[in-house]
Amino acid sequence: MEWRELNCIIEALEALIEKYNSQLDSNELDEDDHSDITNDKAYAEILLSHYQQNKSEF
C-alpha cells in the first residue's frame, strides 16, 4: 500500500469517528442504536490505530 493511500484511509477513518462521536452526543438514540454506534466506533478506532502504525513503519 502506498503512503498516499494510507493517508486517505486514515483521514476517512478520522472523519467516520467524528461522525460517530456526533451521533453519540445526540440524545435521540435508543439503547440499541447507541450500542451499535459505540461498537462501530470502537472498530473504526482499531482500524485507525492499525493504519497509523503502518504509516509510521512506512
Side-chain angles (χ1 to χ4, degrees), residues 1-49:
M1 184 174 297
E2 292 183 20
W3 191 79
R4 180 178 280 165
E5 291 172 316
L6 284 173
N7 281 336
C8 184
I9 292 169
I10 289 170
E11 288 177 14
L13 286 169
E14 289 171 340
L16 183 60
I17 291 168
E18 283 299 314
K19 177 185 170 195
Y20 289 148
N21 283 332
S22 294
Q23 290 175 331
L24 290 170
D25 289 341
S26 149
N27 292 328
E28 300 174 6
L29 298 175
D30 63 22
E31 225 176 282
D32 289 336
D33 289 338
H34 189 275
S35 177
D36 289 343
I37 293 171
T38 300
N39 290 338
D40 292 345
K41 178 186 169 198
Y43 184 65
E45 289 172 336
I46 290 168
L47 289 174
L48 177 60
S49 174

